């Protein structure tokens, strides 16, 4: 079967190497409220920058000092998640493509269902946290569902 828009299988391992430590670090930093903005402060180019507590501070196209810890974490989660979720399996066929498609649809429904639920019942900074985590949850739900369905398929094939 000809598959489009999927990465070669060899990228899956790199995806796991980026995604799992990034996911663990994100969970630990949230649970223990680590101040990750205190590390890796470097000069970066900003297309747009505004300070939270300074309403007159709006600047386009400038070099600023910023902690890049959260950017590195975001890159690890998104690039790792994309490589894990969208790299071919060793034996990619029509049934795997069907499972991949169904898992993506399922993850989209669950993700946006949760967003609607949180929009109705969460307010303030907690809701902003939900929106931040939503950057990663669609990929996370897809990866969990897809690999669970592949696990069930392999288990069924071994039992027969």
């Amino acid at each position: 079967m000809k598959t489009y828009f999927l990465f070669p299988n060899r990228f899956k391992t790199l995806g796991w190497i980026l995604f799992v430590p990034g996911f663990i670090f994100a969970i630990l930093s949230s649970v223990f409220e680590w101040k990750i903005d205190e590390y890796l402060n470097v000069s970066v180019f900003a297309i747009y920058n505004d300070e939270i507590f300074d309403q007159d501070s709006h600047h386009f196209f400038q070099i600023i000092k910023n902690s890049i810890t959260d950017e590195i974490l975001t890159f690890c989660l998104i690039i790792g998640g994309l490589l894990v979720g969208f790299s071919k399996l060793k034996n990619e066929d029509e049934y795997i493509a069907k499972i991949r498609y169904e898992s993506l649809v399922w993850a989209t429904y669950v993700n946006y269902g949760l967003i609607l639920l949180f929009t109705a019942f969460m307010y303030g900074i907690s809701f902003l946290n939900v929106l931040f985590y939503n950057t990663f949850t669609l990929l996370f739900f897809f990866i969990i569902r897809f690999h669970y369905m592949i696990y069930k398929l392999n288990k069924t094939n071994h039992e027969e």
Side-chain angles (χ1 to χ4, degrees):
M1 177 187 157
K2 182 84 174 159
T3 55
Y4 299 100
F5 308 116
L6 293 178
F7 299 104
N9 179 260
R10 66 180 180 274
F11 287 108
K12 190 176 271 296
T13 303
L14 175 63
W16 284 117
I17 290 170
L18 292 172
F19 186 75
V20 171
F23 181 75
I24 291 170
F25 186 77
I27 295 294
L28 291 176
S29 66
S30 292
V31 169
F32 296 111
E33 299 180 359
W34 293 342
K35 298 186 185 306
I36 61 174
D37 284 340
E38 296 174 355
Y39 306 102
L40 297 175
N41 284 306
V42 297
S43 296
V44 295
F45 173 73
I47 293 175
Y48 181 75
N49 179 42
D50 63 345
E51 298 295 327
I52 294 174
F53 300 110
D54 185 5
Q55 302 237 343
D56 296 329
S57 175
H58 304 277
H59 302 284
F60 287 94
F61 306 109
Q62 69 177 156
I63 303 293
I64 63 169
K65 277 283 203 192
N66 185 50
S67 169
I68 60 169
T69 309
D70 50 346
E71 283 81 6
I72 291 172
L73 186 63
T74 301
F75 273 76
C76 286
L77 286 170
I78 292 176
I79 292 172
L82 287 172
L83 292 176
V84 168
F86 298 103
S87 292
K88 291 179 189 174
L89 296 182
K90 288 181 180 168
N91 53 356
E92 191 83 21
D93 60 12
E94 287 88 9
Y95 192 66
I96 300 294
K98 180 179 180 285
I99 291 173
R100 188 184 305 277
Y101 166 75
E102 289 175 354
S103 296
L104 188 56
V105 171
W106 180 89
T108 302
Y109 288 157
V110 168
N111 189 59
Y112 285 103
L114 288 173
I115 288 295
L116 290 173
L117 180 75
F118 291 133
T119 299
F121 299 110
M122 289 188 81
Y123 304 96
I125 295 297
S126 298
F127 183 69
L128 291 178
N129 286 333
V130 167
L131 293 179
F132 171 74
Y133 290 118
N134 183 250
T135 307
F136 316 107
T137 52
L138 178 63
L139 265 174
F140 180 74
F141 293 146
F142 167 66
I143 290 168
I144 296 295
R145 172 75 162 34
F146 176 66
H147 285 89
Y148 175 70
M149 296 306 288
I150 296 298
Y151 168 77
K152 279 180 52 178
L153 175 68
N154 289 337
K155 189 176 178 183
T156 303
N157 288 342
H158 286 292
E159 289 176 358
E160 292 178 359

